[in-house]
Amino acid sequence: MKVAIMTDSTAYLSERLLKQNDIHVVPLSVVFDDTSYREGIDITTEEFYQKVKAAEQLPKTSQPSIGQITKKFEELADDYDAVISIHLSSGISGTYQAAASAGEMVEGIDVYPYDSEISCMAQGFYALEAAEMAKAEKSPDEIIQQLDHMKKSIRAYFMVDDLSHLQRGGRLNGAQAIVGSLLQVKPVLHFVDKVIVPFEKIRTRKKAINRILGLLEEDAGKGKEMKVVFIHANNEQSAVELKNRVDPAYANMESMISYFGPVIGTHLGEGAIGVCWYMK
């Protein structure tokens, strides 16, 4: 059985990783005024952050239509027997549900939609793991079983400079955003039950970052092989600095740098930093 792996653009996998692992992508979009841009196709991440600075108001985001996803599945049906379609959390986007609906409509290929319950490179980790197993000719059920196993150890924490982006986009409870901005709190955020909630309220950016690194080092200290990603919003240098702070101390850690692209960047804002990891 030949199994395709598909994800959406919010996994923010590089072109190199996509080609290397034969991962297919359906894009989400950002909308400035009345113009829609598919991330990674019509607009780069660098162009997006420049455009946000010049815009009078924040862009909106939109998920791919069921028709777009169906078309992608139909294209894959020419070469594959099945597709595992891995998407950002259903608690913050309807993309997973659109893929599930498209999967029921398409013929000639078995569709396995998968809710990562998270986003960005954490979601990318699922796609990379699935692609590796697909190359090894594992069945869809075996791959899904491994993704569920990963979900038990995957951790992701992040902080934003301005909570109003999350609040206006409806991705964070309004009262939480108001309290955060009034007290100049830099809460550490994470996903619980598919949605973004505060993990801990911390006063300063420096302390919030140190808290996240402390959580990472707590798990890294257990000595198990782990994969880690440091994620930035238009500030690669800050992610590199964090990576360099932690990397030398842990031989069991394989780490990389990633980014918050246009769709997730709309909700987090420039300056956001995230760290994600899972045990191999």
Side-chain angles (χ1 to χ4, degrees):
M1 190 178 214
K2 200 172 178 192
V3 182
I5 304 303
M6 188 172 103
T7 189
D8 59 67
S9 56
T10 66
Y12 301 125
L13 290 162
S14 67
E15 280 300 317
R16 179 183 64 81
L17 284 174
L18 292 172
K19 286 175 183 173
Q20 208 171 54
N21 294 279
D22 195 25
I23 297 170
H24 306 269
V25 177
V26 62
L28 277 76
S29 301
V30 286
V31 184
F32 285 89
D33 297 321
D34 295 325
T35 308
S36 180
Y37 301 86
R38 295 167 297 171
E39 63 176 355
I41 298 173
D42 305 318
I43 191 168
T44 66
T45 297
E46 292 76 17
E47 288 167 345
F48 164 76
Y49 284 110
Q50 288 171 4
K51 206 167 176 61
V52 166
K53 285 175 186 173
E56 290 182 10
Q57 58 184 17
L58 280 177
K60 294 175 182 175
T61 59
S62 69
Q63 68 196 48
S65 68
I66 294 172
Q68 284 175 283
I69 300 173
T70 302
K71 185 182 177 188
K72 195 75 182 173
F73 287 157
E74 286 171 345
E75 289 169 3
L76 292 173
D78 292 339
D79 300 303
Y80 296 92
D81 305 303
V83 54
I84 295 173
S85 195
I86 301 164
H87 298 288
L88 76 164
S89 177
S90 60
I92 61 170
S93 170
T95 305
Y96 163 77
Q97 192 52 56
S101 298
E104 291 173 2
M105 296 166 63
V106 74
E107 294 180 1
I109 190 168
D110 294 329
V111 176
Y112 296 79
Y114 192 80
D115 186 352
S116 74
E117 301 184 17
I118 207 159
S119 187
C120 301
M121 191 56 208
Q123 174 187 334
F125 279 151
Y126 286 113
L128 291 171
E129 187 81 15
E132 198 175 304
M133 293 185 73
K135 277 185 185 176
E137 299 184 354
K138 301 295 182 183
S139 70
D141 286 340
E142 287 174 304
I143 296 171
I144 296 290
Q145 189 176 6
Q146 173 60 15
L147 298 186
D148 285 342
H149 175 72
M150 276 179 67
K151 201 171 271 186
K152 293 172 186 174
S153 75
I154 204 156
R155 301 282 180 268
Y157 299 94
F158 55 101
M159 60 142 294
V160 300
D161 271 344
D162 183 357
L163 284 167
S164 66
H165 292 266
L166 276 168
Q167 191 263 332
R168 278 184 288 190
R171 267 63 179 186
L172 185 71
N173 175 278
Q176 291 168 343
I178 292 164
V179 169
S181 59
L182 282 177
L183 300 178
Q184 293 303 299
V185 166
K186 298 291 183 189
V188 172
L189 306 167
H190 65 156
F191 278 85
V192 175
D193 296 331
K194 306 178 186 178
V195 297
I196 298 168
V197 298
F199 171 73
E200 215 168 86
K201 289 179 181 175
I202 295 174
R203 283 285 186 177
T204 66
R205 178 184 175 89
K206 184 178 178 181
K207 286 181 179 176
I209 289 172
N210 285 341
R211 178 65 173 123
I212 294 172
L213 292 185
L215 292 163
L216 169 62
E217 291 178 320
E218 199 176 296
D219 274 0
K222 296 170 184 174
K224 292 183 180 178
E225 185 185 345
M226 62 193 295
K227 289 198 173 183
V228 185
V229 61
F230 298 89
I231 312 171
H232 67 92
N234 204 32
N235 187 359
E236 185 174 7
Q237 186 55 40
S238 62
V240 170
E241 286 170 5
L242 296 186
K243 182 178 185 294
N244 292 341
R245 272 174 64 180
V246 181
D247 258 8
Y250 300 98
N252 57 312
M253 185 188 293
E254 182 188 332
S255 65
M256 62 187 293
I257 302 288
S258 188
Y259 60 93
F260 295 117
V263 168
I264 302 301
T266 294
H267 300 296
L268 299 189
E270 193 167 356
I273 281 286
V275 186
C276 167
W277 64 93
Y278 75 100
M279 305 293 187
K280 281 290 282 178

